[in-house]
Amino acid sequence: MSKLKIAIQKSGRLNQDSLKILKDCGVSIDNGKDQLKAAASNFPLEVLYLRNGDIPQYLKDGVVDAAIIGENLLIEKGANIAFIEKLNFSKCKVSLAIPKGEEYSDLSYFQGKKIATSYPNTVRQFLEKNNIEANLHIINGSVEIAPNIGLADGICDIVSSGSTLFKNNLKEVQVILESQAVLAVSPKINSDQKAILDKLQFRIKSVLKGRQSRYVLLNAPNEKLEKIIDILPGMRSPTVLPLAEEGWSSVHSVLDKNQFWDIIDELKNNGAEGILVCPIEKMVV
């Protein structure tokens, strides 16, 4: 029986979130400590735990059929490798930073300067696009120390919270790209593996939609029902059921979690009572 081979980061920030989304998709992975390969017991899937920087090459060569990988790494090392789904976790930026005490007005600051980075292809493309000539010093590891020891005038690196820049007396001055985890596909995937990947992507979409949504139940007086229904976006339209108490109805709907509190406040102001909010594990649309 065909199996889909999917790569995830062996260790680090992407590893746990990658395993969690697979688990939330109902995929049970029998992996022990320090295993480099593990099979799912209830889905035709095999997980390969790889070094993050090696994953793009494994995709190119067709050693794995798919991967959960940072979009930033795909841009840096995975030319011509497509991704089919943004996964909404492990969000970060790839940014240029300089010492805090330096004056900065625009990108011309970097003209003729030295930039330390682990992302030479990304930086080079960005600088060429903006007609800036700079010297790149490629470092595989912590680049933040480079300006402090006189190795570079600035750096280009991943920025999440900004705390690492702060600790090294640096400031972010230009965002090159914004990144998150994505589901990438090997250009050499065959039709059998693609069919399995389609099933997995369907499950992932349902999980992601559920994470972004909240199920809302409320009671409303019938004379205010029309206004309350207008407030609720819903998937198509809210479900409305009569209550045992005459003149009242129960209204059920789904809200985007990012709009949730504003809509709840408006519902309360328009007569909604007994509002109950539930998380959604998965939402199949």
Side-chain angles (χ1 to χ4, degrees):
M1 181 181 177
S2 294
K3 285 189 176 183
L4 180 76
K5 292 183 179 179
I6 187 168
I8 68 169
Q9 188 181 45
K10 183 181 178 183
S11 60
R13 63 192 183 92
L14 263 175
N15 175 270
Q16 292 302 312
D17 284 338
S18 299
L19 290 173
K20 185 176 188 314
I21 199 167
L22 291 175
K23 182 179 178 181
D24 289 348
C25 286
V27 179
S28 179
I29 300 166
D30 302 321
N31 62 311
K33 188 178 180 182
D34 298 327
Q35 274 188 272
L36 298 179
K37 186 169 70 170
S41 60
N42 59 349
F43 192 81
L45 183 77
E46 192 171 63
V47 177
L48 277 71
Y49 300 92
L50 303 175
R51 278 199 331 120
N52 210 30
D54 294 339
I55 292 176
Q57 191 61 51
Y58 277 73
L59 285 166
K60 288 178 186 177
D61 294 342
V63 176
V64 296
D65 306 303
I68 296 175
I69 186 173
E71 187 180 0
N72 58 298
L73 188 59
L74 207 57
I75 290 170
E76 175 64 26
K77 292 188 172 184
N80 302 319
I81 296 176
F83 67 83
I84 56 173
E85 196 72 45
K86 292 190 174 186
L87 302 177
N88 205 31
F89 60 78
S90 294
K91 293 184 176 181
C92 65
K93 298 174 286 184
V94 177
S95 298
L96 290 164
I98 63 173
K100 283 181 185 176
E102 291 288 318
E103 292 290 329
Y104 181 86
S105 57
D106 54 41
L107 278 174
S108 62
Y109 172 89
F110 291 100
Q111 188 71 36
K113 295 285 203 308
K114 293 180 182 177
I115 302 173
T117 185
S118 301
Y119 295 89
N121 294 329
T122 303
V123 180
R124 194 174 291 114
Q125 290 170 20
F126 178 79
L127 294 177
E128 287 176 359
K129 182 179 176 182
N130 289 277
N131 298 313
I132 301 293
E133 292 186 12
N135 300 309
L136 300 187
H137 191 92
I138 303 170
I139 297 177
N140 294 317
S142 299
V143 302
E144 296 86 359
I145 195 173
N148 294 328
I149 60 176
L151 192 61
D153 303 295
I155 69 165
C156 182
D157 200 20
I158 287 178
V159 177
S160 295
S161 66
S163 61
T164 305
L165 293 182
F166 180 81
K167 289 175 185 175
N168 286 276
N169 204 34
L170 300 173
K171 62 182 179 182
E172 182 183 29
V173 294
Q174 177 70 48
V175 176
I176 289 181
L177 62 90
E178 294 184 346
S179 173
Q180 62 179 284
V182 297
L183 180 62
V185 187
S186 169
K188 296 187 177 182
I189 191 170
N190 65 37
S191 58
D192 289 342
Q193 273 69 41
K194 181 64 168 60
I196 299 169
L197 181 61
D198 288 344
K199 290 181 181 179
L200 180 62
Q201 186 184 7
F202 173 78
R203 295 189 184 192
I204 287 173
K205 283 180 179 288
S206 299
V207 169
L208 294 177
K209 187 66 176 174
R211 288 180 180 179
Q212 286 298 115
S213 305
R214 296 293 181 267
Y215 190 73
V216 178
L217 302 86
L218 60 88
N219 297 331
N222 288 345
E223 68 269 16
K224 296 183 179 180
L225 201 54
E226 187 175 347
K227 176 61 178 175
I228 285 173
I229 290 173
D230 285 342
I231 295 168
L232 290 167
M235 294 171 67
R236 289 187 179 172
S237 62
T239 300
V240 180
L241 301 170
L243 291 178
E245 183 178 346
E246 190 174 344
W248 283 79
S249 294
S250 174
V251 182
H252 302 221
S253 190
V254 174
L255 303 181
D256 186 298
K257 73 172 187 177
N258 296 318
Q259 301 175 312
F260 171 76
W261 284 113
D262 290 337
I263 294 174
I264 291 295
D265 288 341
E266 195 173 353
L267 289 170
K268 281 179 58 68
N269 292 337
N270 282 275
E273 297 182 9
I275 301 172
L276 178 64
V277 181
C278 305
I280 298 175
E281 187 174 311
K282 298 166 186 70
M283 197 160 92
V284 180
V285 294

